[in-house]
Amino acid sequence: MRSLLRTPMMAPLVRDSALVWLASGVVGVSFGAISVTGGLPVWVPVVMSLVVYAGSAQFSAVGVLLAGGGPVAAAATGLLLNTRTLAFSLAVADILGRGRLARLLGAHLVTDETVAFALAQSDPARRRAAFWISGFGLFAVWNLGVLAGALAGDALGDTGTYGLDAAFPAVLVALVLPALRENPAVRRAALLGAALALAVTPAVPAGVPVLVALAGLAGHGRDGGRTA
């Protein structure tokens, strides 16, 4: 892993992933502030971010707690939303390496952003370097943002007025566009998943449309061997 981080490709990858880190930090500040202003002690969002590290699942779990739900309901909500990472883990399994420590650490760093950034690279070496660089950077910036937001608390005011919910979607679209342009099978799967997610959005809780969108992978499996 150290050799990957010392290669000439590191600087370009750091530059390219910096926007994702910035978005992560800003949303982390929002999460920390929302948690504390809702009545949770500062240590709850900070420890959750270190141990759980699952942005949308953390927002949902805290939402359940602030609405009066118990820890079991909050944990169940987070686990449900995070089931999508099972597919992500399969996609990057070969990137992480064979060592137990690398796989354990890599599993903790698997997010929508790290997987998208890694798979957008052109060769296996760049994919592996991109995963670890973006993964470590995101983890650090997210947790620093959450700590800052939790400590700031009410001083930030209503975080919903900043439009932070659009930051991550915009970054993810930019990351996956190259794959969508180059691979017709990926494009069909993405369109199917997006259509399914939009169809169920009015009727299901936040976060569930992402899980429904995974059904689009069936289109990739069926069409993966065809050419456009």
Side-chain angles (χ1 to χ4, degrees), residues 144-224:
L144 288 173
V146 170
L147 177 61
L151 293 175
D154 293 326
L156 293 177
D158 182 9
T159 57
T161 62
Y162 304 142
L164 302 180
D165 54 339
F168 270 159
V171 171
L172 286 175
V173 168
L175 288 175
V176 302
L177 276 178
L180 295 177
R181 286 197 297 262
E182 297 170 5
N183 192 318
V186 171
R187 187 161 58 248
R188 284 189 288 267
L191 290 173
L192 175 59
L196 292 172
L198 288 173
V200 302
T201 293
V204 299
V208 175
V210 178
L211 302 178
V212 175
L214 292 175
L217 293 173
H220 184 276
R222 184 178 65 252
D223 298 331

Side-chain angles (χ1 to χ4, degrees), residues 2-228:
R2 290 181 180 178
S3 61
L4 286 174
L5 300 182
R6 292 174 181 171
T7 58
M9 71 179 70
M10 180 177 178
L13 290 176
V14 168
R15 180 197 62 218
D16 293 343
S17 60
L19 180 60
V20 186
W21 296 347
L22 177 61
S24 175
V26 172
V27 178
V29 170
S30 176
F31 172 72
I34 289 172
S35 301
V36 173
T37 55
L40 296 177
V42 170
W43 68 266
V44 171
V46 172
V47 172
M48 181 185 290
S49 295
L50 288 169
V51 177
V52 179
Y53 184 53
S56 60
Q58 290 180 229
F59 272 103
S60 298
V62 165
V64 171
L65 291 174
L66 296 181
V72 174
T77 301
L79 287 173
L80 175 64
L81 294 181
N82 251 23
T83 53
R84 71 186 189 281
T85 59
L86 292 174
F88 297 161
S89 298
L90 293 174
V92 297
D94 293 338
I95 296 174
L96 301 183
R98 299 182 179 275
R100 291 185 179 180
L101 180 59
R103 286 184 175 272
L104 180 63
L105 181 58
H108 193 56
L109 298 178
V110 167
T111 65
D112 310 59
E113 298 78 32
T114 55
V115 172
F117 188 58
L119 296 183
Q121 307 307 313
S122 57
D123 61 77
R126 285 186 63 88
R127 292 190 189 107
R128 189 177 183 193
F131 177 86
W132 290 111
I133 290 171
S134 63
F136 282 127
L138 275 172
F139 183 79
V141 173
W142 170 261
N143 282 280
L144 288 173
V146 170
L147 177 61
L151 293 175
D154 293 326
L156 293 177
D158 182 9
T159 57
T161 62
Y162 304 142
L164 302 180
D165 54 339
F168 270 159
V171 171
L172 286 175
V173 168
L175 288 175
V176 302
L177 276 178
L180 295 177
R181 286 197 297 262
E182 297 170 5
N183 192 318
V186 171
R187 187 161 58 248
R188 284 189 288 267
L191 290 173
L192 175 59
L196 292 172
L198 288 173
V200 302
T201 293
V204 299
V208 175
V210 178
L211 302 178
V212 175
L214 292 175
L217 293 173
H220 184 276
R222 184 178 65 252
D223 298 331
R226 301 179 187 177
T227 58

